[in-house]
Amino acid sequence: MSRIFLICLLSAATSAIPAAAAPAAAAPAAATPTPASQLTPPSGRAIVKQMHDRYSGKWYQSFTFVQTTEVYRNDSLRSTQTWHEFIRFPDRFRMDFGPADSANAVIFRGDSAYRFRNGQLRSTMINNNEGLIFLLGGMFFYPLDQTIHILSDSLHYDLSEAKEDNWEGRPVYIIGKQGANQLFIDKQDLYLVRMIKVGDQTMDARFEDYQPFAGGWSETKCRFYINGKLIQVEAYKDCKANITLEDRIFDPSKLNRSW
């Protein structure tokens, strides 16, 4: 429930009292509703607490799906690929490009990414996938204080700034300042529907067609824009929650089979 503070304007009603009559107590006046435009929205910190209270301890622990990935350049479709993806919250994520046995993959563990080609480790880099593993479920596996710390200090969202608006026909909370990093949170179901990351290039990620899974939700379609240009569209199928994903799948020392 939103932390919205209502300011009620009370007016006293008086009526003429006959001179011979004893004083009568005035009836209490009805409160005047505050216009919606004057309601104080919850802070970003309060919105995150709502999300955490709703889903912590309830969200599914693992998720797998097959993804159709459309790659665009200059607003034109350049290629269509199939990726197999595996998530184990809070911070394990693997993508296999092409067939599941292609031996081309990337493994994310914490803030590091390990890229394999033909089964061989080709590069290791600091990369947390723009925090998406965290924002799309991982945040519910940490204590609230740590979640707030990661959002503000590591991912650089200003939790002191928030407002209410509409996005794609639904009410949302928007956390963060205009022109800076922002999160759009569905007001009813409290999941992420849009993420804006501002830097040398501005990334606009949109998460759509949400479906419920085992105590949580998952987007089943994503669109990514760089500086206003569409670069990638993703669609999920064969989605499965809470299946066993062994440690070996996320082992960066070698590329194990993912099935």
Side-chain angles (χ1 to χ4, degrees), residues 194-210:
R194 188 183 186 192
M195 177 189 75
I196 297 175
K197 293 280 286 185
V198 177
D200 294 337
Q201 295 181 317
T202 296
M203 184 178 76
D204 184 350
R206 305 176 185 186
F207 307 98
E208 304 168 350
D209 297 347
Y210 268 84

Side-chain angles (χ1 to χ4, degrees), residues 238-252:
D238 298 337
C239 300
K240 299 175 184 176
N242 279 341
I243 67 170
T244 300
L245 294 177
E246 299 176 9
D247 289 343
R248 64 176 181 81
I249 293 176
F250 306 100
D251 182 357

Side-chain angles (χ1 to χ4, degrees), residues 65-122:
F65 55 95
V66 178
Q67 176 177 299
T68 299
T69 306
E70 297 178 346
V71 179
Y72 289 79
R73 292 293 181 270
N74 299 319
D75 297 321
S76 297
L77 179 63
R78 298 293 298 274
S79 66
T80 300
Q81 306 168 13
T82 299
W83 300 356
H84 294 75
E85 308 202 13
F86 309 83
I87 301 170
R88 195 175 73 187
F89 293 115
D91 64 353
R92 299 288 188 267
F93 181 34
R94 171 171 168 167
M95 296 185 290
D96 288 64
F97 307 108
D101 59 353
S102 67
N104 299 321
V106 59
I107 294 173
F108 293 90
R109 291 172 61 96
D111 63 356
S112 298
Y114 305 84
R115 297 185 179 275
F116 292 83
R117 185 170 181 81
N118 297 325
Q120 300 299 312
L121 180 63
R122 299 298 187 185

Side-chain angles (χ1 to χ4, degrees), residues 1-9 32-47 49-50 162 164 173 187:
M1 183 177 292
S2 302
R3 294 185 176 184
I4 299 176
F5 302 95
L6 303 178
I7 302 174
C8 297
L9 305 177
T32 302
T34 303
S37 60
Q38 296 181 21
L39 296 177
T40 303
S43 68
R45 183 181 292 262
I47 295 165
K49 185 178 186 303
Q50 287 183 55
E164 297 184 25
Y173 296 121
K187 187 175 179 180

Side-chain angles (χ1 to χ4, degrees), residues 165-181:
D165 209 329
N166 286 282
W167 171 251
E168 301 291 343
R170 287 176 64 92
V172 295
Y173 296 121
I174 301 178
I175 299 173
K177 295 180 179 179
Q178 184 73 29
N181 294 345

